[in-house]
Amino acid sequence: MEDRIPGGYDNFVIPFLAGMAFILAYCIAKLIGIIMHMPSDDRKKLLLSLVNPRIIAKNIADIFSDCLLHVKIFRKNPKLGYMHMSIAFGWFMLIVIGHMEVAEFMPEKLHTFYYPIFFNYFVLKTADSGTALAVYEFLMDFFLLMVLSGVGIAVFKRFRSSIVGMKRTTRPLTRDRIAMYALWAIFPLRLIAEASVAGTGGGGFLAMSIYKAISPLMPESANVLPIWWAYSISLGIFFFMLPYSRYMHIPTEAVLIMFRNAGIRATNAETGFSLLEQYSCSTCGMCIDACPMTNIAEGEKNASVYFIRNLRYGGGKSSTKSIANACLMCNKCVAACPVGINSCELKRRYRSADYDGMPARQYGFVPSMETHPATIGNTAGNPCMEDHGNRISASYAIAGTKGQSRGVDSKPHKTASCKQNEDNVYNKKAIYFSGCMTQLTPSVSRSMERIFKAAGIDYSYMDRDGGLCCGRPLMLAGNDRDAASLIEKNTGIIETSGAEILVLSCPICYKVFKENYRLGNIRIMHHTEYINGLIESGRIKIRRTDEKLAYHDPCELGRGCGIYDEPRKIISAAGHLAEASENRESSICCGGSLGSITLTYDQRSKVTQAALESLACGSPDRIVTACPLCLKTFGTYSALPVEDIAFTVARSLEN
Amino acid sequence: MTPDINFGFGLSKSSRINLDNADNEKFRELAAREPDILKCMACGSCAASCSAGNFTELNLRKIILMLTRGAEKETVRQLESCMFCGKCILVCPRGINTRHLIKSIREIYCRPCAEPETGNGI
């Protein structure tokens, strides 16, 4: 095997080389910028992750399955998955096998960047290369065919997105179109270019058969250079357009995976890690179909893809803000995103700019620890015992004294079926925090008290006479600073209570307690987990009826905290579970979410209707949810009776 | 008859507001941003359900009334205890987005008196 062209160089490689040099320089400069803008703790995490073998292994596995094979998209939509996999994995294999081929036959040329890309043009293949060459040629043509099939689907999808099962797809920008047409052109041009020199450069089943078909028509002296120029120029255009188009996700996604596996998260909406997330968005538009706001007229423009695009290209500030503030923060787009971009967190961070320069709130009206009903009897010598100001209102002082008589409700009595190991959390003192929303749906807290009593739990009810908010609503609005103040006050009350388990009946509270409170050894449980444990350990017994119960996954409990199975177990113990058409990770927000700051009453009702339609699919007798806010929202519109899961259990209690 | 007998009621402090002297500039800005504020019928559902109102004087019904009359100092003080929990939206029979209203009131009435940031993030 030898050089067909003396020197192994032709000017047509210049567009490719220029594009390659540009994109490499751009990526390195951006990466340095991103790392410089990260907090120093995050830089340390990144450095440590690069020497941690466990994280390295995870990085490799994730990059392979997410960037090349696109397993996540395959699972959701096989046709779309094939399209992405064929282009990404096929192209990757073309590059790898192309380099291996050069390394095998012309190792002295490997250092020139362009040689493996335009190998067939420069080389004169002789018959003595044997079967190894045939295998390489077959593989190269096989993967090129794979890429071409993917490009074919992509072209077709542009005109009819329904072919790959997408109802809506993103409106591409002009810059995206230029890069897209260049990408579409690369592979057919490569095939034609390789076929044109197959007489000297060889080729597999694809290039060779095209060569055989066209060679009788071609004169011996035919100039094949223009087609190689076209191939190189299309590559060059594509590389030059990368940073300015959606295709920037190709070099960025692998880096995003490494940063994420190192434990780095967005700390603001515009620089550092979030820039990496913006670049990694391929604007595939899978979040558009996922977004519950598509049920609202013109709601589609609020999809996360447009928010990220606005952030990245600096689109109008008012429209960026209006998308950020409309979002329900239901996280459905995050669950649907094949790249795993946490767009809701970016929006939350974006919202926080509204509080710059605002006076910080201290919430000094917090009830003092001595009078708090939850802390009676546990106050001696506790370091948390400070008087948090004198602004306690008279109404609370009365509530506090009332609480004294209720403080200790019942002593735990051990039943025979109860496991006696010390791990049994149900023998430990519990503190129940119902949360603000539950005060609007008292059926939940009353049911919880019935269940506690039936199970013989020693519990105290932290906010029976009203309490502080958990802080999550402020955080959803982007106001972490004021939320921190509430978190501090609530932490003090819970620590002083002496309880070992904190039971919450509101998923909004549950999420913030799980993620942002530092409660030491106190176990935090949502009431679905707690009740399920009570049923499984035999502490309570419930009647099973023939009723069909549809379960609605609340956003903050399901996607927010990953609790899907416990509520289903409880419902199966009380009746027949009828699944909604969109359940678990795809469950539709009830529409009442506190995440949205600007959606109006009417707009919210459209989302509620969509969720109710999905729930009605299994023709249930009742709708069961595990969130007081969902309960309240559905209650207004539902034709079917709606109840909280605690109520379902309490009305079926046998003991 | 001793003059200091406590009958349980007495003369309350005058709450008269001189509308001629009231500066409604900010309220007009607020009403342009939050036209829904004019829909309020002062039913008081928001105040009755308010988590913070349980402990403090925070009363959104009163705040809206006071703002329409140009009395803003008290509202700024009261809104300091709002925890943004959103119960008031759920109970408002007029469908007013009370959370956004509160945010706008704070932005319009509190920003000039902003203090340097002392808070810490989470």
Side-chain angles (χ1 to χ4, degrees):
Chain A
M1 195 167 289
E2 58 193 67
D3 264 336
R4 185 171 70 91
I5 310 294
Y9 172 81
D10 194 283
N11 280 339
F12 76 76
V13 303
I14 291 173
F16 163 77
L17 278 180
M20 199 70 204
F22 168 75
I23 189 65
L24 275 178
Y26 188 94
C27 285
I28 291 168
K30 273 285 163 191
L31 187 63
I32 292 172
I34 287 169
I35 293 174
M36 295 312 283
H37 272 102
M38 285 191 325
S40 56
D41 278 358
D42 282 355
R43 278 202 291 271
K44 208 190 268 169
K45 274 188 209 164
L46 181 67
L47 214 62
L48 287 175
S49 81
L50 296 177
V51 292
N52 181 332
R54 201 178 47 81
I55 298 181
I56 293 172
K58 189 168 162 42
N59 282 342
I60 294 170
D62 284 358
I63 290 172
F64 205 75
S65 79
D66 291 353
C67 303
L68 295 176
L69 299 182
H70 289 91
V71 175
K72 274 189 204 152
I73 310 182
F74 250 113
R75 271 197 211 123
K76 289 196 185 94
N77 184 337
K79 282 183 223 160
L80 208 57
Y82 176 77
M83 187 191 102
H84 284 87
M85 185 274 275
S86 59
I87 299 178
F89 185 63
W91 198 356
F92 176 74
M93 292 309 282
L94 279 179
I95 296 168
V96 171
I97 298 174
H99 279 76
M100 282 164 60
E101 196 179 4
V102 174
E104 170 109 27
F105 298 109
M106 306 282 277
E108 71 279 9
K109 293 288 184 188
L110 209 54
H111 68 277
T112 59
F113 256 128
Y114 62 86
Y115 204 86
I117 313 297
F118 306 106
F119 183 56
N120 286 10
Y121 179 82
F122 291 116
V123 82
L124 179 65
K125 285 180 186 163
T126 43
D128 59 349
S129 305
T131 44
L133 182 67
V135 171
Y136 276 120
E137 284 178 340
F138 170 80
L139 285 176
M140 289 299 275
D141 271 19
F142 173 78
F143 284 113
L144 184 58
L145 185 65
M146 187 180 194
V147 177
L148 283 170
S149 69
V151 171
I153 300 174
V155 174
F156 206 75
K157 170 181 160 266
R158 252 316 116 199
F159 301 104
R160 285 187 73 119
S161 60
S162 56
I163 186 82
V164 290
M166 286 174 84
K167 275 190 237 153
R168 307 169 189 85
T169 185
T170 332
R171 303 181 305 268
L173 303 169
T174 314
R175 50 176 87 204
D176 291 332
R177 282 183 195 278
I178 296 171
M180 184 171 73
Y181 296 146
L183 179 66
W184 288 356
I186 289 171
F187 301 99
L189 283 173
R190 178 184 174 123
L191 178 63
I192 300 170
E194 290 191 342
S196 69
V197 296
T200 52
F205 60 94
L206 207 58
M208 201 47 106
S209 44
I210 292 178
Y211 173 73
K212 280 182 182 148
I214 57 170
S215 59
L217 310 172
M218 278 203 315
E220 277 300 306
S221 59
N223 187 359
V224 295
L225 266 179
I227 193 80
W228 284 94
W229 268 98
Y231 173 43
S232 175
I233 288 172
S234 63
L235 278 169
I237 292 177
F238 183 69
F239 289 144
F240 271 109
M241 287 310 292
L242 264 186
Y244 311 105
S245 71
R246 52 188 292 192
Y247 297 101
M248 189 62 181
H249 75 272
I250 298 172
T252 324
E253 197 184 337
V255 184
L256 176 78
I257 289 173
M258 288 167 66
F259 277 52
R260 192 164 46 208
N261 285 347
I264 298 166
R265 300 288 177 268
T267 49
N268 67 63
E270 272 141 348
T271 56
F273 182 75
S274 81
L275 205 59
L276 210 51
E277 290 198 305
Q278 292 168 31
Y279 280 129
S280 297
C281 173
S282 63
T283 71
C284 66
M286 288 175 89
C287 52
I288 306 177
D289 276 345
C291 183
M293 282 190 285
T294 47
N295 295 297
I296 305 167
E298 289 191 23
E300 199 181 310
K301 66 179 191 323
N302 289 331
S304 294
V305 56
Y306 298 121
F307 173 75
I308 292 176
R309 198 150 85 177
N310 266 358
L311 269 187
R312 183 175 161 193
Y313 300 133
K317 209 157 184 116
S318 67
S319 78
T320 316
K321 193 173 166 179
S322 99
I323 301 175
N325 282 344
C327 175
L328 291 156
M329 299 275 171
C330 72
N331 267 338
K332 212 178 154 190
C333 53
V334 180
C337 180
V339 190
I341 297 171
N342 195 341
S343 40
C344 286
E345 181 62 13
L346 288 184
K347 289 175 204 162
R348 209 180 67 75
R349 298 280 177 185
Y350 192 81
R351 288 174 179 184
S352 67
D354 280 0
Y355 300 95
D356 291 343
M358 280 295 211
R361 291 187 268 206
Q362 298 302 327
Y363 300 107
F365 57 81
V366 63
S368 84
M369 303 303 162
E370 290 95 341
T371 51
H372 201 284
T375 65
I376 302 299
N378 291 293
T379 53
N382 195 303
C384 299
M385 286 293 309
E386 287 170 50
D387 190 4
H388 281 257
N390 301 317
R391 287 164 62 190
I392 311 155
S393 71
S395 71
Y396 194 77
I398 297 163
T401 36
K402 264 194 289 180
Q404 285 190 4
S405 56
R406 294 172 183 167
V408 185
D409 258 324
S410 50
K411 291 267 172 279
H413 62 85
K414 293 190 177 83
T415 53
S417 59
C418 162
K419 286 182 206 140
Q420 294 293 320
N421 60 357
E422 57 176 30
D423 255 346
N424 194 334
V425 293
Y426 306 105
N427 290 333
K428 293 175 178 163
K429 186 173 188 283
I431 182 165
Y432 172 55
F433 182 73
S434 64
C436 300
M437 287 300 159
T438 307
Q439 286 160 19
L440 292 180
T441 52
S443 68
V444 182
S445 50
R446 272 192 226 127
S447 305
M448 280 310 291
E449 292 208 87
R450 279 190 61 189
I451 294 167
F452 278 128
K453 280 173 191 155
I457 307 288
D458 174 18
Y459 78 103
S460 53
Y461 186 165
M462 179 167 156
D463 54 347
R464 185 195 301 274
D465 301 296
L468 286 173
C469 171
C470 60
R472 179 80 180 148
L474 277 169
M475 289 181 71
L476 282 171
N479 192 349
D480 284 3
R481 189 187 54 191
D482 289 354
S485 164
L486 287 174
I487 288 174
E488 189 197 320
K489 310 276 144 96
N490 276 326
T491 305
I493 298 174
I494 294 164
E495 279 178 344
T496 324
S497 73
E500 289 175 83
I501 307 158
L502 170 66
V503 183
L504 304 148
S505 52
C506 175
I508 306 168
C509 306
Y510 180 62
K511 188 170 166 76
V512 72
F513 273 103
K514 273 260 179 193
E515 291 180 1
N516 304 97
Y517 280 67
R518 299 281 170 269
L519 291 176
N521 292 326
I522 300 174
R523 186 160 168 195
I524 301 159
M525 292 177 96
H526 186 248
H527 72 334
T528 50
E529 292 176 283
Y530 194 75
I531 295 171
N532 183 50
L534 288 177
I535 296 173
E536 284 183 349
S537 65
R539 290 287 285 252
I540 53 171
K541 290 198 168 52
I542 57 174
R543 276 185 309 276
R544 190 156 193 269
T545 62
D546 280 337
E547 265 185 327
K548 277 172 89 176
L549 305 169
Y551 175 65
H552 168 72
D553 286 289
C555 309
E556 299 270 58
L557 190 65
R559 285 183 293 267
C561 299
I563 294 188
Y564 298 107
D565 296 327
E566 285 87 348
R568 286 181 167 75
K569 281 186 203 160
I570 299 174
I571 287 177
S572 303
H576 294 282
L577 175 66
E579 288 285 1
S581 64
E582 297 200 48
N583 58 6
R584 291 180 177 256
E585 277 201 342
S586 334
S587 161
I588 305 173
C589 168
C590 70
S593 169
L594 289 174
S596 177
I597 303 180
T598 51
L599 280 194
T600 64
Y601 201 67
D602 293 336
Q603 289 172 322
R604 285 170 183 272
S605 74
K606 300 280 191 303
V607 178
T608 313
Q609 299 291 3
L612 284 171
E613 268 171 39
S614 154
L615 283 163
C617 257
S619 49
D621 299 314
R622 285 165 193 265
I623 293 170
V624 179
T625 181
C627 169
L629 181 52
C630 301
L631 176 64
K632 180 87 185 154
T633 316
F634 283 148
T636 318
Y637 297 99
S638 175
L640 294 167
V642 188
E643 64 190 26
D644 189 88
I645 199 156
F647 186 78
T648 315
V649 172
R651 71 179 166 81
S652 322
L653 276 176
E654 274 187 337
N655 51 336
Chain B
M1 192 184 279
T2 44
D4 55 345
I5 286 178
N6 184 1
F7 291 102
F9 56 87
L11 288 174
S12 55
K13 213 176 86 213
S14 168
S15 57
R16 190 177 58 184
I17 293 169
N18 188 339
L19 289 175
D20 292 333
N21 294 338
D23 176 12
N24 275 326
E25 182 73 21
K26 282 183 177 170
F27 183 73
R28 277 195 291 274
E29 188 190 335
L30 179 67
R33 226 160 114 172
E34 301 280 345
D36 274 5
I37 195 174
L38 305 173
K39 278 202 221 160
C40 175
M41 58 185 190
C43 70
S45 300
C46 45
S49 64
C50 182
S51 285
N54 201 12
F55 305 113
T56 69
E57 288 167 21
L58 174 58
N59 183 327
L60 186 59
R61 176 190 66 87
K62 223 169 167 179
I63 286 174
I64 294 174
L65 283 177
M66 286 192 295
L67 289 180
T68 48
R69 291 162 196 179
E72 58 176 79
K73 268 199 184 125
E74 172 67 11
T75 63
V76 171
R77 199 182 62 75
Q78 280 194 20
L79 278 182
E80 283 311 290
S81 55
C82 171
M83 300 185 282
F84 226 51
C85 73
K87 272 152 88 182
C88 44
I89 299 186
L90 294 177
V91 296
C92 179
R94 302 289 280 169
I96 300 171
N97 187 345
T98 48
R99 260 172 117 220
H100 197 259
L101 175 65
I102 290 171
K103 192 165 173 267
S104 296
I105 296 175
R106 284 196 86 220
E107 276 168 14
I108 292 170
Y109 291 90
C110 300
R111 211 180 273 292
C113 63
E115 291 153 0
E117 275 190 67
T118 50
N120 54 325
I122 298 172

